[in-house]
Amino acid sequence: MEDSRPARPPARAFVLGGGGALGAYEVGMLKALFAAGVYPDLVVGTSVGAINGAAVAADPSRASVARLAGLWTGLGRAGVFSGSLLGRLGTAVRSGTHLYHPTPLRDLLSCHLPVTRVEELALPFQCVAANIERAAEHWFAAGPLVDAVLASCAVPGLLPPVRLDGEHYVDGGLVNSIPVGRAVALGASEVYVLQVGRVERPLAPPRAPWEVALVAFEIARRHRFARDMADLPPGVTVRVLPSGSAPEEGTGALRQLRHRSFGRTAERIERAYAASSRYLDTVLGPARGAADGTSDGPR
């Protein structure tokens, strides 16, 4: 007799990439996904994607979008990447390695994340950081949540390495900026990639000395993403959501890497929401939300 029970739905992952101040685009993508009735079973994040991903894993509902919008506005107001030039130079002279103190970001994360440990989140969540001593990527799947997110966000030169259990960690974008492969390895067969717009635009040769290292980093991060996409096993579907980013934030000028650009948070959220909504209507159909009952939560 044929089994009439519905097939188990595929494991669905949200993969949230790095991108500095442009992480607000990912909030607009989340807004579009939830409006379409698309919710994750697993969340994987890198750098600012770890911030957004932890918030979604804590509360995988439309309410998390409003909280994230508040968090991104707070990033500009809380002094995370602000202060006078003299103050930044003073921090650099005292530390010898970084421009900003991590306390404002730690305080903001502690305020906005409702749980203290990764394993207390509503959904499985992992974020990646680069381990200095081992010269390798390290995945946080348990333990103190704020420490894990801070380690994933510790941009070299801007924030100090995070010391945990005697080892030091810096920004996960150095080793895995858009970790599609990790989501697949964890069992995801349907992956939604939330990225800040860099993969949508062609790279251009550097035209100034300070652009050389940034272009080199961008080549490395795109190569890892392209390899992950080329190595996808059969039966895995990956959808890369568009950011709708403005032309002036293209990678040719490398404006997307500016860390103090938080003043356009609302605009970026709405741009990504509009672009991703159009994309989801195309690939899923405009009736997807209605078909799913537009429930405000995971499947």
Side-chain angles (χ1 to χ4, degrees), residues 28-147:
M29 296 173 186
L30 289 168
K31 181 179 178 181
L33 285 164
F34 292 161
V38 180
Y39 296 90
D41 304 304
L42 165 72
V43 181
V44 180
T46 297
S47 196
V48 295
I51 296 177
N52 293 334
V56 171
D59 180 14
S61 74
R62 299 184 192 189
S64 65
V65 173
R67 281 191 288 273
L68 275 170
L71 185 150
W72 277 94
T73 301
L75 282 170
R77 295 175 179 171
V80 175
F81 294 122
S82 62
S84 67
L85 175 60
L86 184 61
R88 296 196 299 275
L89 290 176
T91 301
V93 169
R94 288 189 299 273
S95 69
T97 60
H98 55 273
L99 294 174
Y100 299 101
H101 198 278
T103 299
L105 180 55
R106 177 178 288 276
D107 291 345
L108 193 68
L109 292 173
S110 297
C111 178
H112 281 79
L113 296 176
V115 300
T116 59
R117 297 186 62 83
V118 175
E119 55 268 37
E120 295 171 349
L121 293 166
L123 292 179
F125 168 76
Q126 293 190 11
C127 64
V128 65
N131 181 294
I132 293 177
E133 286 81 4
R134 301 174 189 271
E137 64 183 59
H138 176 86
W139 286 93
F140 293 94
L145 178 60
V146 170
D147 285 345

Side-chain angles (χ1 to χ4, degrees), residues 40-259:
D41 304 304
L42 165 72
V43 181
V44 180
T46 297
S47 196
V48 295
I51 296 177
N52 293 334
V56 171
D59 180 14
S61 74
R62 299 184 192 189
S64 65
V65 173
R67 281 191 288 273
L68 275 170
L71 185 150
W72 277 94
T73 301
L75 282 170
R77 295 175 179 171
V80 175
F81 294 122
S82 62
S84 67
L85 175 60
L86 184 61
R88 296 196 299 275
L89 290 176
T91 301
V93 169
R94 288 189 299 273
S95 69
T97 60
H98 55 273
L99 294 174
Y100 299 101
H101 198 278
T103 299
L105 180 55
R106 177 178 288 276
D107 291 345
L108 193 68
L109 292 173
S110 297
C111 178
H112 281 79
L113 296 176
V115 300
T116 59
R117 297 186 62 83
V118 175
E119 55 268 37
E120 295 171 349
L121 293 166
L123 292 179
F125 168 76
Q126 293 190 11
C127 64
V128 65
N131 181 294
I132 293 177
E133 286 81 4
R134 301 174 189 271
E137 64 183 59
H138 176 86
W139 286 93
F140 293 94
L145 178 60
V146 170
D147 285 345
V149 174
L150 274 177
S152 189
C153 295
V155 181
L158 299 185
L159 292 167
V162 174
R163 187 175 189 272
L164 297 170
D165 297 327
E167 296 187 327
H168 298 80
Y169 300 89
V170 292
D171 192 285
L174 295 174
V175 288
N176 204 335
S177 189
I178 307 177
V180 170
R182 182 66 175 185
V184 173
L186 292 172
S189 56
E190 182 183 8
V191 179
Y192 288 83
V193 174
L194 289 72
Q195 48 84 38
V196 301
R198 297 207 288 248
V199 300
E200 300 168 9
R201 300 181 182 278
L203 269 176
R207 293 177 293 179
W210 57 84
E211 290 189 339
V212 174
L214 296 177
V215 170
F217 171 72
E218 189 66 18
I219 291 171
R221 71 182 293 278
R222 292 193 190 194
H223 172 75
R224 175 67 184 264
F225 176 61
R227 188 181 69 189
D228 279 357
M229 294 294 285
D231 291 342
L232 290 175
V236 174
T237 299
V238 177
R239 298 187 172 99
V240 182
L241 298 178
S243 69
S245 59
E248 65 268 21
E249 293 188 317
T251 53
L254 289 168
R255 291 186 176 95
Q256 296 193 53
L257 295 180
R258 289 180 179 171
H259 57 278

